[in-house]
Structures are given as structure tokens and as C-alpha cells.
Amino acid sequence: MERKTVISDCMSCVWDCGIKVTLEDGKMVKVEGLPEHPVSKGYICPRGEYLPEFVYSPDRIKYPMRRVNNTWERLSWEEALDYAAEKLGKIKEQYGAKSLAIFCGSMGVENIEVAGFAQRFKSAYGTPNLLSVENVCYRARIMARQMTFGRYPMDYPPDARCIVLWGHNPDGSKGILAEMIRDKAKKRVLDLITIDPKRTELAELGLHLAIRPGTDGALGLAMLNVIINEGLYDKEFVEGYTIGFEELKAHVQQYTPEWASEITWVSASDIKATARIFAQTKPACIVQGINTLDQHVNGFQLSRLLSILQIITGNVDKPGTWVTIPFLRMTDLRLPMDIKPIGADQYPLFYSFWGRVSPYGIATLFPQAALESKPYPVRGAIVAAANPVVSFPEANKFIEAFKSMDFMMAIDLFMTETAEMADLVLPACTFMEKDAISYVHGVVHGEPFAMYHHKVVEPVGESKPDWWIWTQLARRLGLGEYFPWNTDEEVMDHLLAPSGIGEELKADPMGKYFNKQDYYAYEKKKILTPSGKIEIYSKTMEDAGLDPLPKYVEPAQSPISTPELAKEYPLIMISGARRQAFTHTQMRHVPHLRALEPEPFVEMHPATAARAGVKDGERVKLSTRNGSIKLRVKEEPRLMPGVVSVPHGWAGDANVNLLTDMEVRDPVTGYPDFKVLQCKVEAV
Ligand SMILES: Nc1nc2c(c(=O)[nH]1)N[C@H]1C(S)=C(S)[C@@H](COP(=O)(O)OP(=O)(O)OC[C@H]3O[C@@H](n4cnc5c(=O)[nH]c(N)nc54)[C@H](O)[C@@H]3O)O[C@H]1N2
Ligand SMILES: Nc1nc2c(c(=O)[nH]1)N[C@H]1C(S)=C(S)[C@@H](COP(=O)(O)OP(=O)(O)OC[C@H]3O[C@@H](n4cnc5c(=O)[nH]c(N)nc54)[C@H](O)[C@@H]3O)O[C@H]1N2
Ligand code: SF4
Ligand SMILES: [Mo]
């Protein structure tokens, strides 16, 4: 038996932890953290540790399959690709290219090859409809920060003296950061503030504000009120680099701590204390929940509001604040596209502002396009590295929409609930079975870090890299000129060409920090907004008929906005707090990970459980006005009474997205307001 170890990294989520992999006869048998890795420094989470079980899961799709009379028929790659090309050709002929939608999920965010090829293919084919998770996650914040700062600064907490975890629990979602915070708290060099309806373990290391879900805007505005009225803002920075401070000052007078206390259920004294600590402990860094505040009726403005808190305290582009990180220059695989995707007319700013055009359609309007032909019919779907039937809000609408397709195809590792609905399923291989580029920045280090991830093991069955699948498909559709690559290495070389460090990266499996962080850019570089200043007051928003300064908007469903609904559904439901064992809908079939969380559950305070007449461990029915699911009660004294918290990602009758809602949307991004809903719990 041949045994060896190789250095690599885990790409199961965006943090790309370094790993040491033990191979026996070319098969992975063990994965450990890599203490020498410059970023993760030995940290891995259980998903990294149990990678061999994930990669070699007996549930992997091993060859292409076509649905025939509701059973799966094995095809060769030749047959499968010919079949797909024929069907896709027909859709284009019959309805036009834009009637094809291409879904790309979180794995496309983690691995640029996956998303890049999906994007390239969609434009080569001629459809603008790339429907991505970026329509429920993260893009809102990028846009809001760009619109405010001109560039996109990221939270960079390592050098901060004050960190605000705002709707964020890195123990579940960003382990490396959690470790760093614990370390700093132990050394007593950190003021930590946690704003969360749950008193998370990290919340115990500092000041915790137990906030009513969905009311973060009121808290933020009241903090501005205190900081401005007590003169705690950074006058020099505000005068030198911003516009709209006077308007802001007048605007926030109405938002007193006492007003906010009624709304948020946080005491006025805690609001004042938080504002003072944040404004006076420098440098300070709000680490904004990655999607927590996005999936909200006013999500875009919440991101603007947090930006303004950083700005008026001068916590911009200095170590330990929000910094604009130099990017790795890589080839853009996108091709020009001037047709508008679905939703572009309803949400024009999401589509483009200042000439910056986004590559995404409004994914959550897919059911409307499929079922009502609005704004035009969508008749075909390719779902690559996504599981929208479970992961997207109001899942039933997505199920209906996919059922209505003339042709649907899935590219995945596993037969997910979404793949189950397809006419054709093509097996992709994991990142351990192909080359990739991993690239992280801003988590625990300001300098961007890149690594050439070499293939570690041979693909399981006949599975193939995503780039290969898109390339073969394109060639059959007569689009081969856009897809000239034949090996992993050719693809990676092409991607890395503009970086100037491709060869260096390829030669050193450990990866490297490739660019020094350049602080104080606002002093040295042009600020890329229309006014040339950081825009507290946004003329762009005003011109679009939207609020130029953030206001408070109550969640669409709440005891205050919908008291009638709240009589029948008295509890507040939040969903999607991350769990270390799983990435979204993935990994529940990995035995050691499943053992960590064997069953779906709903967390609630013991007093909430008692009032609903249910007990810890009991199976209950959880309902919103959209439907019901079954879960086990997990009593959780850390969660504020009156609130229940449900993990997302479980399928079938435990899928929380059977309860979520798309009726009300953020007016800028079109993100549905589904993070905070009214619900009830009943014994079954
Ligand atoms: N293990 C694991 N890690 C992941 C992922 C995964 O699936 N699994 N997914 C990755 C992805 S794509 C994303 S987008 C991120 C998500 O990352 P985040 O969006 O940052 O989510 P969490 O860190 O889980 O923290 C959510 C916290 O917000 C609190 N919360 C809920 N509603 C509200 C509210 O209205 N206001 C406030 N202030 N707090 C609220 C919850 O109680 C919870 O503690 O995680 C990434 N990391
Ligand atoms: N209620 C509620 N719903 C939520 C959230 C929430 O907070 N609450 N969070 C939302 C957020 S922020 C996000 S980002 C989405 C995530 O939504 P999705 O991206 O749809 O969820 P995943 O389960 O990560 O799906 C990724 C799929 O890619 C497959 N895969 C993995 N690697 C590869 C690969 O290399 N190639 C290919 N082709 N396939 C691969 C996996 O098997 C899996 O089926 O969920 C959203 N859903
Ligand atoms: S946090 Fe876990 S899943 Fe994410 S890269 Fe690190 S080991 Fe992999
Ligand atoms: Mo996400």
C-alpha cells in the first residue's frame, strides 16, 4: 500500500481552510487542519475533517442519467451531451434564447470556475438569465457599500479594538473568525458587542443586545442619533470626505433611543451605551451578518445604515475597520450581454447603476416567469451547483415552476431534491477531484490570499469538472469558439493570466498573500461616486424615487405591522442560523456530520415552549400562513422569548422554506423579506 500526505485546502465553504490530506493508494483516508497555513493556521471544522466521507459517499451520482417514465436510465457522456444539446437547441429555436434560466448556487460563489463557466455559457447561448443565490445573499451589501463608498470595503476585524457582531454568529458560519475573537477577548484587547436575538456563546464575551428580529434599522438610527447629538463623530473625516452629514443630522433627530427601545425591545440605556462604546473605541469594525440583514424588506438600506455608522465614526480604510482590499486580477469569463434578465425592469438598480451592470437576474422572480410568462416566458432550466427547491424561499413555488419546464437539467454531485425534478442529470466532481483557485480576503487578514488548489484524487465514477461539462455542451451547440480549453490546467492558467503570479502559485501548494493592503485610500485615490465624496446622502437613490437616507421600516409581518396575523401566528420565526455540521442543504448523508445533528429542530426559549404547551425533544408542527412543517423542539434558554429559530437546508416536511414568503421585497434588490415571519407552534 502506498501512503502519502499532500497539502491542499477545503473548499466546502468560502473560508478555504488549509488541510493536510492522507492518501492510501490514491484515496483520501484522513483530513487534518494545516497549522502552517497562513490564514487558517490549523483550524478546520467538521465538514473539512469528514471530507473523505463526503467525496466517497455512496450517494454520489456516478454517471449521466436521463429520466424515462419516471425511472433513471444510465447514459454515456456522449449520449447525455447530445441529448442536452438537442433539447437546449429546441428551446432556443422555439422560444428564443432568453427563455433559458441558469441557476448557480453557493458552490458557484465558493469556486469561481463553477460560477464563471455558468456565466460564460449563458451569454454564449444568448440568455441573460443567470439566477444566482446572490439574489438572496450578500450582493445587497456589495451594492449598498459601492453606492456609498464608490468602492466595496470589507469588514476587516483583526486589528479592531471594538468588534460589533451584527446578526452574525461566526461559531456557526465563520469558524476562523470565532477563534480570533476568542483569542482577542482572552487577551482583553477587545470590546465585543453582539446584536442578536440569541445570546450566542460569543455574546457572553462582551455586551449583548437581545434585539427583536427585523428591527436592526431602528437600533442603527438611534445609535446615529446618540453619536451625532453627543458630538462623538469624527468631524475631520466627515468634513473632509463625505457629503450629506447635515441632512443626516436633521434626519436622525426623530430616532431617539427611547423611540428605538419601544421598537427593538432593547433598553434605551443599552442603546446609548452601545453607541458610545462603538464611537469611542477605535478602531471599530461592524462585522455584518452575511445574509441576516439582507433578507429583509429594507435590507439594502440596512447595509447603507451600517456603512454610515462606520463613516461618521471615521472607521474607514484604516487597520481594524472596513477596508478596500486589493483584488487578485483574474480573467473575467463573462461575455458581453445586452438583453435584460428577468426582474431588471422592476429592480433597475439591482441590474445596474453608474454603468456597472450586474450579471444577475432576480432569481426569486423565476416562478413568476415560468408560471405566468412575466415579463416573458422561461421554458428551460439548467441548475448547476444549487438546490433551489430546498434553499430558496417559498419552495413550493419553485417546485411548481420547475415542474412546468419543457426541459430541465441538473449538474450536481448528488441527487438533490432539485436534481430529482430534472429530465437529465450530469455528475460533477468535487473540488478534491479537480484543480481550482481558492481566494480569500478580509476574514482574518487584510491582505488577499490566493492558492492554486491541485487535484488531489481521481474523480468518483464518471464525474467531471463543471468547466468540462459546460465546454462540451457549448461545443455541441456550435459555441466552441468561446470554450477552447481541454485540461484543468489550461483553464486555471487562463484565469490566472492577468494576476502575474500564476506560475508562482502553481509551484507552491501553500498559497500566498499576494498584495499588501494599502490603507487610507480615500486620501490618495479618487472616490468613485458621482460626487467624488463618500455619499451619506445618496442622490442616486433619490433620483430613483427611493429614500436618500435610510429610514426605519417594520418587517412586513410582525406583531406591529400585522396584528391580526400575529393573533393566529403569535411567535416570531427566524431561519437559517448556520450550523457547523452542514453547508446549506448539503452533507446530511455524511454519517459523521449527520451524527452531530441527526434531526431537524426548532429552537425556542423554555418559557415559549411552555406557553405553546410543548416540551424539549417533542415533535411539533410549525406553521406560517404559507404552510406547516414538522420538527423537534430544542429548548434554548439563549434565545429571546417569543422568537423561534429554525435551521435551513433540511428537505421534505422539515424544509423551512415551505414556510417562507416572497410577497414583500426590498425595493432596491428585489430580495424577498423572509428572514423574519410570524409563526405558531403546536403539539402533534
Ligand atoms: N457552517 C456553515 N457556514 C456557513 C454556511 C453554511 O451553510 N454552513 N453558509 C455560508 C453562507 S452562504 C452565508 S450567507 C453565511 C451566513 O452567515 P450569517 O448571515 O452571518 O449567519 P450566522 O453567522 O449564522 O448568524 C446569524 C445570526 O443572526 C441572528 N439573527 C437572526 N435574525 C436576526 C435579526 O433580525 N437581527 C439580528 N441582529 N440578528 C438576527 C441569528 O440568531 C444568528 O445568531 O454563512 C456562511 N457560512
Ligand atoms: N430560510 C432560509 N433559506 C436560505 C437561507 C436562510 O438564511 N434562510 N440562506 C440562503 C443563502 S444565504 C444561500 S447562499 C442559499 C444557498 O443555496 P444553494 O446554493 O442552493 O444551497 P447548497 O445546498 O449549498 O447547494 C449547492 C449544491 O451544489 C452542489 N455542489 C457542490 N459542489 C459542487 C461542484 O463542484 N459542482 C457542482 N455542479 N455542484 C456542486 C451540492 O451538492 C448542492 O446540491 O440558501 C439560502 N436559503
Ligand atoms: S470552515 Fe469548514 S467547510 Fe469551510 S473551508 Fe474551513 S474546513 Fe472547510
Ligand atoms: Mo449565502
Side-chain angles (χ1 to χ4, degrees):
M1 184 182 63
E2 195 204 359
R3 193 180 163 95
K4 66 172 183 177
T5 58
V6 296
I7 284 172
S8 183
D9 71 338
C10 171
M11 297 179 72
S12 277
C13 87
V14 77
W15 317 123
D16 294 340
C17 301
I19 54 176
K20 196 168 79 185
V21 186
T22 306
L23 300 168
E24 282 178 4
D25 289 336
K27 281 195 96 185
M28 283 195 281
V29 292
K30 189 173 176 190
V31 170
E32 295 160 279
L34 187 65
E36 309 88 284
H37 192 269
V39 182
S40 55
K41 299 190 174 107
Y43 175 86
I44 54 167
C45 81
R47 288 167 294 161
E49 193 181 342
Y50 297 116
L51 261 179
E53 281 183 27
F54 176 71
V55 172
Y56 299 125
S57 163
D59 297 337
R60 282 282 299 277
I61 309 172
K62 298 193 184 58
Y63 36 77
M65 288 186 291
R66 173 172 59 182
R67 178 190 302 285
V68 181
N69 298 330
N70 270 332
T71 56
W72 291 106
E73 174 191 86
R74 176 174 181 171
L75 299 181
S76 69
W77 270 107
E78 289 293 313
E79 289 166 330
L81 291 162
D82 285 346
Y83 179 68
E86 182 205 318
K87 291 288 185 186
L88 293 172
K90 247 192 216 148
I91 296 230
K92 194 170 182 173
E93 214 179 275
Q94 221 173 329
Y95 309 103
K98 66 181 180 181
S99 66
L100 177 71
I102 298 181
F103 278 84
C104 195
S106 69
M107 224 15 90
V109 181
E110 324 308 359
N111 187 336
I112 58 152
E113 172 239 331
V114 174
F117 274 78
Q119 293 206 16
R120 191 170 181 85
F121 180 88
K122 68 113 193 165
S123 303
Y125 180 88
T127 175
N129 288 313
L130 183 80
L131 305 181
S132 152
V133 289
E134 301 221 10
N135 190 221
V136 291
C137 172
Y138 211 75
R139 184 94 199 154
R141 144 220 319 245
I142 297 179
M143 284 177 56
R145 293 189 192 178
Q146 283 182 337
M147 202 184 273
T148 309
F149 296 93
R151 291 190 170 81
Y152 168 52
M154 297 180 82
D155 341 333
Y156 172 39
D159 293 330
R161 283 263 297 107
C162 172
I163 293 179
V164 184
L165 294 176
W166 202 314
H168 187 41
N169 177 26
D171 270 324
S173 61
K174 203 191 276 179
I176 307 176
L177 176 65
E179 301 272 299
M180 189 204 74
I181 290 177
R182 282 207 170 80
D183 186 51
K184 282 171 74 101
K186 225 187 317 170
K187 292 182 188 142
R188 298 182 185 282
V189 291
L190 178 69
D191 276 319
L192 183 69
I193 298 166
T194 304
I195 300 166
D196 197 308
K198 185 172 178 179
R199 184 167 46 80
T200 59
E201 283 181 29
L202 287 171
E204 289 179 9
L205 302 177
L207 175 63
H208 172 224
L209 306 189
I211 190 169
R212 173 163 72 91
T215 65
D216 302 87
L219 173 65
L221 287 161
M223 284 172 67
L224 287 174
N225 174 298
V226 174
I227 293 168
I228 293 175
N229 288 340
E230 296 189 2
L232 304 177
Y233 60 97
D234 183 334
K235 296 181 188 66
E236 212 174 297
F237 185 80
V238 165
E239 276 165 25
Y241 303 103
T242 74
I243 55 161
F245 179 76
E246 287 308 320
E247 289 89 338
L248 177 72
K249 185 174 175 177
H251 174 68
V252 299
Q253 294 311 312
Q254 58 190 309
Y255 302 121
T256 61
E258 291 70 26
W259 164 84
S261 175
E262 294 247 318
I263 293 176
T264 58
W265 304 350
V266 177
S267 72
S269 60
D270 273 355
I271 296 174
K272 286 179 205 163
T274 304
R276 289 172 191 147
I277 295 169
F278 174 69
Q280 292 178 307
T281 319
K282 299 224 160 120
C285 182
I286 298 172
V287 184
Q288 178 178 346
I290 304 174
N291 74 56
T292 310
L293 307 182
D294 292 1
Q295 298 160 355
H296 188 271
V297 59
N298 205 28
F300 182 85
Q301 293 281 26
L302 283 171
S303 283
R304 286 246 309 135
L305 181 53
L306 303 200
S307 303
I308 294 170
L309 278 164
Q310 290 288 137
I311 292 164
I312 67 157
T313 51
N315 282 303
V316 177
D317 220 7
K318 297 165 189 152
T321 66
W322 286 14
V323 300
T324 311
I325 286 161
F327 277 76
L328 181 67
R329 292 186 50 225
M330 277 193 276
T331 305
D332 188 350
L333 287 173
R334 283 178 287 186
L335 299 167
M337 163 58 59
D338 49 19
I339 312 167
K340 282 189 187 171
I342 56 176
D345 289 329
Q346 270 159 286
Y347 301 98
L349 290 178
F350 185 77
Y351 176 58
S352 88
F353 66 93
W354 308 343
R356 304 176 189 187
V357 178
S358 120
Y360 307 111
I362 303 285
T364 47
L365 286 176
F366 168 72
Q368 191 184 312
L371 300 168
E372 299 166 39
S373 298
K374 273 196 221 158
Y376 48 75
V378 169
R379 303 298 332 136
I382 305 179
V383 182
N387 190 6
V389 160
V390 183
S391 63
F392 270 53
E394 229 176 314
N396 271 331
K397 287 212 171 131
F398 281 86
I399 293 171
E400 285 312 307
F402 284 123
K403 269 192 200 152
S404 78
M405 291 294 104
D406 287 13
F407 174 65
M408 175 180 171
M409 179 177 125
I411 305 173
D412 206 298
L413 318 173
F414 295 99
M415 195 51 99
T416 63
E417 298 66 26
T418 304
E420 284 284 1
M421 299 194 65
D423 303 298
L424 180 70
V425 176
L426 302 181
C429 64
T430 65
F431 57 89
M432 294 307 277
E433 301 158 295
K434 63 183 173 184
D435 287 6
I437 296 159
S438 36
Y439 174 36
V440 273
H441 40 228
V443 189
V444 284
H445 51 91
E447 274 104 62
F449 180 85
M451 177 167 164
Y452 189 110
H453 168 107
H454 293 273
K455 169 175 161 179
V456 176
V457 291
E458 287 305 315
V460 163
E462 295 176 11
S463 63
K464 295 282 188 188
D466 288 77
W467 72 262
W468 183 91
I469 298 172
W470 290 114
T471 297
Q472 296 300 321
L473 203 52
R475 288 180 186 171
R476 277 173 174 73
L477 286 162
L479 307 168
E481 60 180 305
Y482 302 112
F483 293 83
W485 305 281
N486 291 304
T487 63
D488 281 14
E489 200 174 344
E490 280 176 25
V491 172
M492 302 309 143
D493 285 348
H494 180 74
L495 284 170
L496 285 171
S499 73
I501 55 166
E503 289 307 315
E504 220 180 311
L505 286 179
K506 218 192 285 180
D508 181 1
M510 196 66 86
K512 65 178 285 195
Y513 287 111
F514 59 84
N515 214 334
K516 275 270 157 268
Q517 177 59 40
D518 184 22
Y519 294 109
Y520 302 96
Y522 55 88
E523 289 178 356
K524 295 176 274 192
K525 292 189 190 147
K526 197 168 175 281
I527 295 172
L528 299 174
T529 56
S531 65
K533 298 270 185 184
I534 294 172
E535 299 193 347
I536 294 173
Y537 186 97
S538 171
K539 183 84 174 33
T540 304
M541 291 287 279
E542 186 176 36
D543 291 346
L546 297 156
D547 296 325
L549 290 166
K551 285 187 186 146
Y552 176 64
V553 183
E554 181 66 23
Q557 292 185 17
S558 84
I560 289 148
S561 55
T562 51
E564 280 307 309
L565 185 74
K567 270 187 207 149
E568 191 180 346
Y569 299 98
L571 300 171
I572 300 171
M573 180 185 94
I574 51 179
S575 69
R578 300 316 193 232
R579 312 292 305 176
Q580 265 203 350
F582 309 125
T583 301
H584 305 295
T585 75
Q586 304 184 58
M587 299 158 189
R588 282 168 182 75
H589 51 269
V590 174
H592 273 97
L593 295 177
R594 185 62 177 261
L596 295 173
E597 303 224 328
E599 271 193 284
F601 55 80
V602 45
E603 287 183 340
M604 61 183 89
H605 191 276
T608 313
R611 221 171 305 129
V614 299
K615 283 199 197 71
D616 193 53
E618 194 176 325
R619 256 171 85 75
V620 292
K621 188 163 97 171
L622 174 69
S623 320
T624 64
R625 65 169 190 185
N626 273 356
S628 303
I629 60 174
K630 302 235 172 71
L631 304 157
R632 251 180 232 292
V633 172
K634 185 168 179 178
E635 287 189 2
E636 177 51 271
R638 292 172 179 278
L639 195 62
M640 75 195 286
V643 175
V644 307
S645 176
V646 191
H648 76 306
W650 290 92
D653 72 354
N655 177 5
V656 71
N657 282 321
L658 293 171
L659 309 186
T660 49
D661 212 286
M662 297 199 287
E663 190 181 56
V664 178
R665 290 165 184 271
D666 178 279
V668 182
T669 60
Y671 285 21
D673 180 19
F674 71 101
K675 184 58 91 188
V676 181
L677 298 166
Q678 292 300 121
C679 75
K680 68 178 169 191
V681 174
E682 296 160 291
V684 285

